[in-house]
């Protein structure tokens, strides 16, 4: 297949591209810079120059492909609603370009937006309040494309090169001299290694039925206090709890996520696609030490 990948040089995308190339797919990656273009070419992929701010360009690239994996997102947490709006415009443009074609179109969300009273499964839809920051499950615009795979839904993706939530927790712990959790720290984060996530994207592209919701979840739920404990041990700082009302003061924008309890299952995904994670779990990955090197 000729596959158009947005976010192709990002943390997850840079693992997805070689996974696809190794499986014999022809990959075209979205590139915003000369550096990104060179990186894609060295990985055996083509580069399509453009950005999320150019929905017409994204539509053209999608129409010329046999399938699309959308991974790009503007990680500006100072204006997350604007980032989400840009993301939605990109998804709608690609969906419109693929409408009626039967070509697979994979988009991504987070398991934290799902509606469930316990462990989130692939059968749980998004909570009504989850249409703000990253509205990636407004499915009505694109299932009719004969594409529209609303997954894999990703939890905390970890591994070498990570620059998202876990590194930010480490930065905060270094700056404040304590590794903190909210309340009793029993709330759970799910995790998956980037290599396992990349393999699931390939499997989904190749064989997931249209409209399938998938979960890229290795661990159902890691208590946040356990994450804080590993960070504290590596940084040699105390591990402390902070009251919920002080979470945003301590963690900044990450405070809204630090207290989230969202255990998530991938049992249906594993049965459907034969996907079995092989990389280290989140705590084991942290204990390897690479997150703490300058």
């Amino acid at each position: 297949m000729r596959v158009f990948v947005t976010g192709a040089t990002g943390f997850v995308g840079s693992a997805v591209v070689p996974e696809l190339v190794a499986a014999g797919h022809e990959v075209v990656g979205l590139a915003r810079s000369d550096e990104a273009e060179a990186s894609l070419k060295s990985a055996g992929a083509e580069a399509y120059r453009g950005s999320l701010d150019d929905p017409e360009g994204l539509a053209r690239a999608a129409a010329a492909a046999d399938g699309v994996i959308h991974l790009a997102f503007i990680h500006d947490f100072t204006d997350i609603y604007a980032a989400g709006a840009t993301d939605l415009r990109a998804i709608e443009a690609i969906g419109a370009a693929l409408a009626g074609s039967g070509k697979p179109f994979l988009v991504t969300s987070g398991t934290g937006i799902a509606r469930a009273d316990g462990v989130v499964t692939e059968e749980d839809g998004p909570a009504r309040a989850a249409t703000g920051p990253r509205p990636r499950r407004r499915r009505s615009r694109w299932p009719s494309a004969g594409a529209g795979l609303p997954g894999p839904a990703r939890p905390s993706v970890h591994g070498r090169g990570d620059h998202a939530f876990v590194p930010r927790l480490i930065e905060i712990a270094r700056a404040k001299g304590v590794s903190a959790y909210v309340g009793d720290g029993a709330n759970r984060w799910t995790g998956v290694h980037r290599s396992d996530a990349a393999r699931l994207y390939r499997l989904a592209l190749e064989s997931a039925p249209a409209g399938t919701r998938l979960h890229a979840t290795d661990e159902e739920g890691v208590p946040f206090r356990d994450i804080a404990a590993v960070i504290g041990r590596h940084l040699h700082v105390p591990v402390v709890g902070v009251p919920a009302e002080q979470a945003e003061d301590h963690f900044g924008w990450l405070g809204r996520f630090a207290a989230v309890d969202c255990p998530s299952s991938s049992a249906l995904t594993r049965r459907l696609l034969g996907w079995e994670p092989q990389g280290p779990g989140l705590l084991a990955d942290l204990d390897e030490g690479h997150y703490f090197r300058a």
Side-chain angles (χ1 to χ4, degrees):
M1 295 174 64
R2 182 176 176 84
V3 187
F4 177 49
V5 181
T6 72
T9 58
F11 175 54
V12 176
S14 60
V16 170
V17 169
E19 174 74 25
L20 293 173
V21 170
H25 297 291
E26 182 182 344
V27 179
V28 180
L30 182 66
R32 293 181 297 168
S33 65
D34 291 343
E35 181 181 8
E37 183 172 350
S39 176
L40 285 167
K41 289 180 178 178
S42 68
E46 298 178 30
Y48 179 87
R49 293 299 290 262
S51 73
L52 287 186
D53 294 316
D54 179 18
E56 292 81 8
L58 297 176
R60 286 193 297 272
D66 300 314
V68 177
I69 299 177
H70 176 53
L71 297 171
F73 189 73
I74 300 172
H75 290 89
D76 180 4
F77 290 95
T78 64
D79 194 353
I80 194 68
Y81 291 97
T86 299
D87 191 39
L88 183 58
R89 284 193 296 271
I91 289 170
E92 291 177 335
I94 294 170
L98 298 180
S101 68
K103 298 176 181 179
F105 176 24
L106 276 66
V107 298
T108 306
S109 185
T111 52
I113 74 166
R115 178 187 64 248
D117 295 324
V119 176
V120 176
T121 77
E122 296 87 340
E123 295 177 331
D124 293 310
R128 185 168 296 179
T131 56
R134 196 169 183 175
R136 288 189 162 184
R137 285 189 178 175
R138 282 176 51 180
R139 299 175 59 194
S140 59
R141 295 296 187 95
W142 34 268
S144 60
L149 302 178
R154 294 202 314 251
S156 180
V157 185
H158 56 86
R160 294 179 185 273
D162 184 4
H163 53 269
F165 288 179
V166 173
R168 180 58 184 151
L169 290 174
I170 294 170
E171 289 174 7
I172 293 168
R174 278 199 175 107
K176 295 186 177 289
V178 297
S179 180
Y181 52 84
V182 179
D184 64 2
N187 61 295
R188 294 153 292 179
W189 276 16
T190 55
V192 68
H193 193 269
R194 68 193 288 261
S195 61
D196 292 319
R199 190 167 66 259
L200 181 54
Y201 275 105
R202 176 182 61 78
L203 292 172
L205 178 82
E206 293 172 344
S207 57
T212 304
R213 184 181 292 115
L214 303 169
H215 280 183
T217 304
D218 177 7
E219 298 166 291
E220 189 171 284
V222 181
F224 193 86
R225 62 172 172 257
D226 292 352
I227 300 171
V230 176
I231 293 173
R233 185 171 70 252
H234 279 266
L235 296 182
H236 307 289
V237 299
V239 180
V240 302
V242 299
E245 59 270 19
Q246 296 177 18
E248 291 205 21
D249 287 338
H250 184 89
F251 292 102
W253 59 262
L254 192 55
R256 72 184 70 178
F257 302 103
V260 166
D261 182 46
C262 188
S264 173
S265 167
S266 61
L268 298 180
T269 296
R270 297 182 194 216
R271 287 201 297 270
L272 178 66
L273 299 179
W275 176 68
E276 285 299 330
Q278 299 170 4
L282 176 55
L283 299 182
D285 199 12
L286 277 168
D287 259 334
E288 288 183 4
H290 58 86
Y291 271 98
F292 303 94
R293 299 184 189 121

